[in-house]
């Protein structure tokens, strides 16, 4: 299927804006030239194609730039198509259509809607990206809505409570969607929406258009200027984990290795204050170590020899390669070659029964299991866990 890299900027991709807005050097190290497309990313790309076709069909939209194909024909071309992809695409299409109808009903007028539209940004000739869905209605003097479909399992939010900043990817899309149509449609309000069905995460953030224009003047354009300086500065942080150069950046290595110097005592001798100063840095240090190991292993597989190290295989497992022969042998010995059947998982049962029947018949027999405990900063949006000790019961 189509490669999304052809419709996205290499240096200034909106999806990677959290990196280059924070680290000027990243545009030199992270230009996308040698980046491989992961199966997860390709799944997302194909899911967006299917979703687009479903929305166009439901709303009878015409794509004048690309040749529209019937949904059934498109599905045959999607080499990663699966029931999960269909469920995600159906849910997202319904969400977009319902949002469109909601804006139409509350404004009393048919809104403008665009699906999978390429937006070019004026801060660099290479800057561009594809907006999943944009809607402009006349509500509240003009409301611009951006909806972004996420198919991954890492939670994505429209607003970061820690930085007190809205999602920069959606913000850039909203800004250039606004610029493309501001002469035709007045805009007063902006809504950013993330639709992430695989982890039941749908959230939104609303702001005035002035907030978006302040972001452009005070954050976006100054950040781009810093990336174009003769010796752009490196600024390590949480954003490094998404940078393709995260294992070879010397500044990131320098900052993370400083942690080992802070941990110059045995753990039980560190004071609470010392531990509290180290805690916020540990996750990034662990991620840096993992990224470095991944980089080292990849180079070794590609033929690089690391002094004092060698490649070995982990413990293998045996696998039956001819099931028919095994079944025949077992039956000849009057031995049952099959294992006992077990109840299908929740996702599979939902597919078989449909959401409505599953919720009415099966849901009463489900119980939410508590996840494992982890220590996070107070700014984390999740509710604090209540620990009940044995003596308190």
């Amino acid at each position: 299927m189509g490669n999304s890299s052809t419709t996205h900027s290499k240096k200034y991709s909106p999806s990677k804006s959290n990196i280059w807005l924070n680290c000027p050097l990243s545009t030199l190290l992270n230009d996308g030239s040698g980046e491989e497309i992961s199966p997860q990313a390709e799944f997302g790309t194909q899911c967006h194609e299917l979703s687009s076709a479903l929305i166009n069909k439901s709303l009878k939209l015409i794509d004048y730039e690309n040749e529209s194909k019937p949904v059934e024909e498109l599905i045959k071309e999607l080499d990663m198509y699966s029931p999960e992809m269909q469920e995600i695409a159906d849910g997202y299409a319904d969400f977009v259509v319902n949002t469109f109808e909601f804006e139409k009903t509350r404004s009393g007028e048919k809104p403008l809607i665009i699906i999978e539209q390429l937006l070019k940004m004026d801060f660099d000739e290479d800057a561009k990206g594809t907006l999943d869905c944009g809607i402009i209605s006349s509500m509240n003097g003009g409301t611009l809505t951006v909806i972004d479909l996420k198919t991954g399992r890492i939670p994505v939010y429209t607003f970061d409570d820690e930085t007190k900043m809205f999602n920069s990817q959606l913000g850039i899309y909203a800004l250039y969607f606004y610029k493309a149509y501001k002469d035709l449609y007045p805009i007063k309000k902006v809504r950013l929406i993330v639709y992430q069905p695989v982890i039941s995460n749908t959230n939104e953030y609303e702001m005035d258009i002035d907030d978006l224009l302040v972001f452009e003047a005070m954050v976006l354009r100054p950040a781009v200027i810093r990336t174009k300086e003769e010796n752009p500065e490196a600024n390590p942080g949480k954003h490094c984990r998404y940078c393709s150069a995260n294992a070879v950046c010397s500044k990131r290595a320098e900052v993370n290795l400083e942690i080992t110097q802070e941990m110059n005592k045995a753990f039980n001798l560190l004071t609470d204050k010392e531990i509290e100063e180290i805690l916020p840095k540990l996750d990034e240090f662990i991620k840096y170590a993992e990224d470095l190991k991944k980089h080292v292993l990849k180079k070794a597989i590609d033929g690089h020899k690391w002094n004092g190290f060698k490649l070995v295989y982990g413990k293998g497992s045996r696998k039956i390669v001819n099931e028919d022969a095994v079944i025949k042998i077992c039956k000849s010995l009057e031995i049952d070659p099959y294992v006992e059947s077990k109840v299908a998982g929740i996702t599979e049962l939902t597919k078989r029964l449909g959401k409505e029947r599953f919720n009415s018949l099966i849901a009463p027999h489900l119980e939410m299991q508590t996840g494992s405990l982890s220590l996070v900063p107070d700014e984390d949006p999740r509710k604090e866990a209540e620990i009940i000790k044995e003596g308190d019961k």
Side-chain angles (χ1 to χ4, degrees):
M1 291 304 303
N3 188 333
S4 61
S5 64
T6 59
T7 55
H8 285 77
S9 166
K10 290 182 177 180
K11 284 188 177 183
Y12 297 104
S13 168
S15 63
K16 293 186 177 179
S17 57
N18 189 45
I19 303 173
W20 52 263
L21 285 175
N22 285 289
C23 179
L25 183 63
S26 68
T27 54
L28 298 182
L29 301 177
N30 191 47
D31 65 3
S33 55
E35 194 171 340
E36 296 179 4
I37 299 176
S38 68
Q40 294 84 357
E42 181 59 27
F43 177 89
T45 297
Q46 294 189 22
C47 192
H48 277 77
E49 291 185 55
L50 177 57
S51 301
S52 174
L54 292 170
I55 296 168
N56 289 339
K57 180 179 179 181
S58 293
L59 296 178
K60 296 180 173 59
L61 304 178
I62 300 174
D63 188 343
Y64 292 101
E65 295 183 4
N66 302 300
E67 181 184 352
S68 298
K69 297 179 182 177
V71 174
E72 296 73 17
E73 185 178 328
L74 175 63
I75 288 175
K76 293 177 182 178
E77 298 180 3
L78 299 174
D79 53 28
M80 298 190 76
Y81 176 79
S82 65
E84 180 189 19
M85 181 184 290
Q86 185 68 57
E87 184 177 2
I88 293 172
D90 284 338
Y92 173 63
D94 288 344
F95 183 83
V96 169
V97 171
N98 289 337
T99 303
F100 174 83
E101 294 296 340
F102 174 71
E103 292 295 321
K104 180 180 177 181
T105 300
R106 71 176 188 153
S107 66
E109 298 175 356
K110 187 176 180 180
L112 166 74
I113 182 169
I114 61 172
I115 302 297
E116 295 294 321
Q117 179 162 316
L118 179 66
L119 297 176
K120 293 185 178 181
M121 290 97 196
D122 59 4
F123 53 81
D124 187 88
E125 61 181 12
D126 177 54
K128 58 187 176 181
T130 303
L131 170 61
D132 291 354
C133 172
I135 300 172
I136 297 178
S137 76
S138 59
M139 191 64 191
N140 295 325
T143 297
L144 180 151
T145 300
V146 163
I147 306 175
D148 198 67
L149 168 64
K150 299 296 184 186
T151 57
R153 294 188 175 276
I154 298 175
V156 179
Y157 298 102
T158 52
F159 188 81
D160 189 327
D161 289 315
E162 184 177 347
T163 62
K164 305 302 178 186
M165 183 71 186
F166 55 80
N167 184 299
S168 60
Q169 177 189 5
L170 273 66
I172 292 173
Y173 281 137
L175 176 64
Y176 283 92
F177 179 34
Y178 162 74
K179 288 192 171 192
Y181 292 95
K182 65 184 177 68
D183 293 334
L184 299 174
Y185 300 90
I187 306 294
K188 297 285 187 183
K189 295 286 184 181
V190 176
R191 289 171 68 213
L192 308 179
I193 302 177
V194 163
Y195 179 81
Q196 192 173 15
V198 290
I199 57 171
S200 302
N201 172 38
T202 299
N203 61 90
E204 69 175 83
Y205 177 72
E206 184 172 317
M207 60 183 159
D208 293 333
I209 187 62
D210 289 342
D211 295 334
L212 196 61
L213 298 177
V214 168
F215 163 75
E216 178 189 18
M218 304 301 293
V219 178
L220 176 60
R221 293 195 177 276
V224 172
I225 290 172
R226 287 193 293 271
T227 67
K228 296 182 178 182
E229 292 175 354
E230 187 175 347
N231 295 303
E233 180 186 3
N235 179 35
K238 290 181 179 179
H239 46 273
C240 291
R241 63 188 60 188
Y242 305 109
C243 177
S244 59
N246 53 24
V248 296
C249 177
S250 58
K251 186 65 176 178
R252 187 188 186 210
E254 178 187 323
V255 169
N256 279 286
L257 290 176
E258 286 176 0
I259 298 175
T260 61
Q261 297 173 12
E262 296 178 29
M263 298 168 60
N264 55 5
K265 296 181 184 178
F267 295 148
N268 60 337
L269 296 180
L270 289 169
T271 66
D272 283 358
K273 182 173 175 51
E274 288 172 328
I275 291 175
E276 286 164 359
E277 289 177 353
I278 293 171
L279 272 177
K281 306 173 185 177
L282 278 182
D283 284 343
E284 181 54 34
F285 176 74
I286 293 169
K287 187 68 176 68
Y288 168 70
E290 290 173 347
D291 290 337
L292 183 59
K293 286 181 67 176
K294 191 185 300 181
H295 170 74
V296 167
L297 178 60
K298 186 177 185 303
K299 285 199 69 174
I301 292 173
D302 290 341
H304 183 80
K305 176 64 180 175
W306 298 99
N307 290 331
F309 294 88
K310 61 183 178 181
L311 281 173
V312 297
Y313 285 105
K315 183 180 178 181
S317 60
R318 296 181 296 174
K319 178 183 178 181
I320 295 173
V321 294
N322 190 338
E323 290 189 355
D324 290 339
V326 172
I327 292 171
K328 187 175 181 181
I329 292 169
C330 288
K331 285 186 174 180
S332 70
L333 298 172
E334 297 183 350
I335 294 173
D336 184 3
Y338 303 102
V339 296
E340 292 182 8
S341 60
K342 63 177 182 178
V343 177
I346 291 174
T347 302
E348 182 59 32
L349 286 173
T350 304
K351 292 174 185 174
R352 295 180 187 181
L353 294 170
K355 284 186 177 180
E356 194 171 318
R357 285 200 297 172
F358 178 88
N359 289 335
S360 63
L361 300 174
I362 307 297
H365 303 287
L366 303 180
E367 182 180 81
M368 179 63 73
Q369 301 295 308
T370 304
S372 59
L373 288 168
S374 58
L375 197 63
V376 300
D378 287 334
E379 294 81 8
D380 190 286
R382 288 170 291 184
K383 182 182 177 182
E384 185 170 7
E386 296 181 11
I387 307 300
I388 302 176
K389 296 181 180 178
E390 193 66 33
D392 297 335
K393 293 182 179 179

